Amino acid sequence: MMDLKETNDVFANPHTENLHDRQLAVLRRLVHEYQEGFRYSQLDDLCELLMLVWSRVGGGANQFIPQLQELIGLCGLPIIRERSNEEFLGGLECFEHLVSTLEKFLHVPSMTIQIATCEALLEISLGRDILRNNDPPVVRVLGATNPVKEDLRPLPRELHQGLLLKGGVVSGLTNEIQAQVNSLAIILSEANSSFGDKLSDLLEENMLNDTESNENRITGDMNNKSGAQYIEPGLLKTTIADYSDDEDDDNGDGKAGGGTVVEVAVKTRALKAELVSSIPRPIRALLGSLMNLLREISGDSNSSSEIVKSNGMSVVIDLLRLLVVEPRDPLIKTCIEVLWNCLEHSQHMLELGAAAVSRTQLVERRRRANAMYALATTEALTTLRDLVAALLKTGHRTEDKELRNEVLIVCSFLARQRRSHAYFRTTGLLDMLLAYATAAENKDFMLSDEANEGGGGGGG
């Protein structure tokens, strides 16, 4: 096996620091030989190697990116012990150093490296261990109320989640998602504005020979009984460039299969029920990886509290606000699961946690670490109202109805926080829930025109 110290010398030695081809060859060999993972005693040298390789990428040597991705991927493998209980004999400090180093790669200006880092941290958060599992056998002990674990050591998942918390991954992850959401908001605003201008020109030049017939073709027939979904023009928020690169585009003029951009969008949205979104694919992939990691971390009670204290609830709501125009976006389900996890842990802490012994602890528990308190805002309730309305109007699939029910469960958690009651009223969420809940009994009650257009698909 290659010695990591010798590998680091190849990068750090003044005589070889500029020999990129040699360094790449050493990295390829190292990645090939360490497919089973690293030992605890090697983690400090591994952290140094990661930073040395990134220094090459930061210097413009992008040929190191694939090897850095593979090296980061190996960091997610279970750590190999050289002696029994090595993690409790100094190994955890080395592991924490590795986690802290990986956290830095969440913020680098390379989406491929960020995604690889998220995947590695996700594997670490799962607590995979070669010799131990996270479901140990239990035995019944005389005098004990509940069964007792045979192995009294902390579970691997508990250890790893604690290391992620100590290594700053939870707060760093929340900050990175906030930065990506802010960038996405700017991109969507510019894309929608550009699409509106280009779509207007396209309609004037190519599609307004017969205004009435073309309008029917774009918006669809609201009374259509053929099973095609009604299309609202406001949902077609995408850039023409997104469809100019379509695989069927032979002429590069934004037409696919002989149709216009709008026709492709309508066909995709109505008949295939696929996403019509202006979110660039790299950003979508990165947000998906970041949110998957956040969802896994939110399953731990301590990490969940840190997410709330790091303003994570506001971050998730900001992302949901951007995604609500397309309620079938898979990122929405991930966001709702994060909210649900944090709300459930907050309720458990309030109901079953030890009594606060000081005013500081009381404020910490009731406010700063309480997801129900953090989500009791106008923005959060407005976003949930819009999401519930969109799912009631356009959610025809079983998955959509399951997601709708999950959103309502999140709302039920918030309703337990007295501070949110005023926002239920002022945002119109309470009125909308009452209207839909009593629609079958109140035959004469008329919903708004917008609800009437799509309300038929919300049953089940």
Side-chain angles (χ1 to χ4, degrees):
M1 298 288 286
M2 293 186 63
D3 188 349
L4 289 179
K5 293 184 181 295
E6 296 179 358
T7 303
N8 293 341
D9 289 339
V10 175
F11 284 85
N13 193 304
H15 300 290
T16 58
E17 62 180 0
N18 295 322
L19 301 180
H20 290 177
D21 290 340
R22 180 178 177 182
Q23 294 166 0
L24 284 171
V26 171
L27 279 178
R28 293 191 190 99
R29 180 183 170 191
L30 184 143
V31 169
H32 177 72
E33 292 187 1
Y34 283 91
Q35 290 296 314
E36 300 298 324
F38 298 95
R39 298 178 177 87
Y40 279 102
S41 59
Q42 297 175 317
L43 295 185
D44 288 335
D45 294 326
L46 175 60
C47 295
E48 182 181 353
L49 178 60
L50 287 170
M51 300 309 298
L52 287 170
V53 177
W54 173 249
S55 68
R56 301 298 185 272
V57 177
N62 293 331
Q63 63 268 32
F64 283 89
I65 291 181
Q67 274 64 48
L68 181 57
Q69 285 181 260
E70 294 185 35
L71 189 60
I72 290 175
L74 294 179
C75 296
L77 296 175
I79 308 300
I80 300 173
R81 298 181 181 85
E82 296 179 289
R83 51 180 175 165
S84 179
N85 293 323
E86 185 175 5
E87 63 270 32
F88 301 107
L89 302 174
L92 287 180
E93 287 77 7
C94 298
F95 202 175
E96 183 182 346
H97 185 199
L98 174 62
V99 170
S100 300
T101 302
L102 289 175
E103 190 274 334
K104 300 175 183 177
F105 288 94
L106 288 174
H107 315 290
V108 299
S110 172
M111 290 189 179
T112 55
I113 298 299
Q114 288 177 294
I115 292 174
T117 304
C118 288
E119 293 173 352
L121 290 173
L122 180 61
E123 289 297 318
I124 292 175
S125 68
L126 295 174
R128 303 190 192 280
D129 195 302
I130 298 175
L131 301 179
R132 301 172 59 202
N133 59 46
N134 289 289
D135 188 20
V138 296
V139 295
R140 293 193 174 276
V141 178
L142 184 63
T145 305
N146 299 316
V148 179
K149 295 187 299 182
E150 287 186 352
D151 188 348
L152 298 181
R153 293 174 296 178
L155 297 177
R157 187 176 185 277
E158 295 174 352
L159 286 174
H160 291 191
Q161 290 278 3
L163 290 175
L164 292 177
L165 186 59
K166 292 178 63 178
V169 171
V170 179
S171 57
L173 178 62
T174 304
N175 293 335
E176 182 60 29
I177 295 175
Q178 180 68 78
Q180 294 298 330
V181 169
N182 293 339
S183 300
L184 180 60
I186 297 174
I187 292 174
L188 291 181
S189 177
E190 295 175 351
N192 292 337
S193 176
S194 174
F195 176 66
D197 297 338
K198 293 180 180 181
L199 178 60
S200 178
D201 296 340
L202 183 66
L203 289 174
E204 291 178 2
E205 294 176 5
N206 301 323
M207 301 180 62
L208 290 184
N209 295 327
D210 185 350
T211 303
E212 182 177 355
S213 62
N214 279 277
E215 182 179 357
N216 290 336
R217 179 175 58 189
I218 297 174
T219 61
D221 184 4
M222 292 176 58
N223 296 320
N224 179 20
K225 304 300 183 181
S226 62
Q229 186 177 348
Y230 164 67
I231 305 304
E232 296 180 45
L235 293 178
L236 301 178
K237 294 186 175 181
T238 185
T239 60
I240 292 179
D242 289 338
Y243 290 97
S244 298
D245 296 331
D246 193 89
E247 295 179 357
D248 298 329
D249 183 4
D250 299 326
N251 302 322
D253 56 359
K255 297 182 179 182
T260 63
V261 174
V262 178
E263 289 173 331
V264 173
V266 171
K267 181 179 179 181
T268 303
R269 179 71 170 83
L271 302 181
K272 297 183 179 180
E274 295 176 352
L275 294 178
V276 177
S277 174
S278 56
I279 301 179
R281 290 184 180 180
I283 296 181
R284 173 176 290 280
L286 176 58
L287 277 173
S289 298
L290 292 170
M291 289 304 302
N292 286 337
L293 177 58
L294 186 66
R295 174 178 57 188
E296 185 61 35
I297 290 177
S298 67
D300 178 73
S301 59
N302 294 327
S303 298
S304 173
S305 298
E306 183 63 27
I307 290 173
V308 178
K309 289 187 285 187
S310 302
N311 202 32
M313 298 296 93
S314 175
V315 172
V316 176
I317 291 298
D318 289 343
L319 179 56
L320 277 175
R321 190 179 301 119
L322 297 177
L323 300 173
V324 73
V325 294
E326 177 46 68
R328 295 187 176 188
D329 195 313
L331 277 174
I332 291 180
K333 183 174 179 61
T334 306
C335 292
I336 295 301
E337 290 180 2
V338 172
L339 296 179
W340 190 348
N341 287 341
C342 293
L343 288 166
E344 200 166 40
H345 285 304
S346 294
Q347 181 188 12
H348 185 271
M349 176 180 63
L350 292 174
E351 293 181 352
L352 303 177
V357 297
S358 66
R359 187 174 184 274
T360 301
Q361 288 186 7
L362 183 63
V363 172
E364 178 88 3
R365 176 178 302 176
R366 291 284 177 177
R367 295 192 177 182
R368 294 188 64 240
N370 186 359
M372 290 182 283
Y373 185 88
L375 288 171
T377 63
T378 301
E379 293 77 10
L381 272 298
T382 301
T383 302
L384 293 175
R385 178 205 64 196
D386 294 341
L387 181 56
V388 171
L391 290 169
L392 285 169
K393 291 187 292 182
T394 63
H396 306 294
R397 305 174 304 170
T398 301
E399 297 174 2
D400 302 330
K401 297 172 184 177
E402 291 175 351
L403 177 59
R404 174 202 64 194
N405 293 341
E406 292 176 4
V407 177
L408 292 175
I409 290 174
V410 169
C411 293
S412 70
F413 274 107
L414 296 181
R416 301 173 189 178
Q417 171 62 241
R418 187 173 301 176
R419 181 170 180 260
S420 67
H421 292 177
Y423 300 115
F424 268 89
R425 296 191 298 270
T426 57
T427 60
L429 176 56
L430 180 59
D431 291 338
M432 186 194 69
L433 294 176
L434 289 173
Y436 278 105
T438 60
E441 290 78 10
N442 294 334
K443 301 293 185 181
D444 298 332
F445 185 83
M446 299 298 295
L447 300 176
S448 66
D449 293 338
E450 180 181 356
N452 279 330
E453 288 178 2

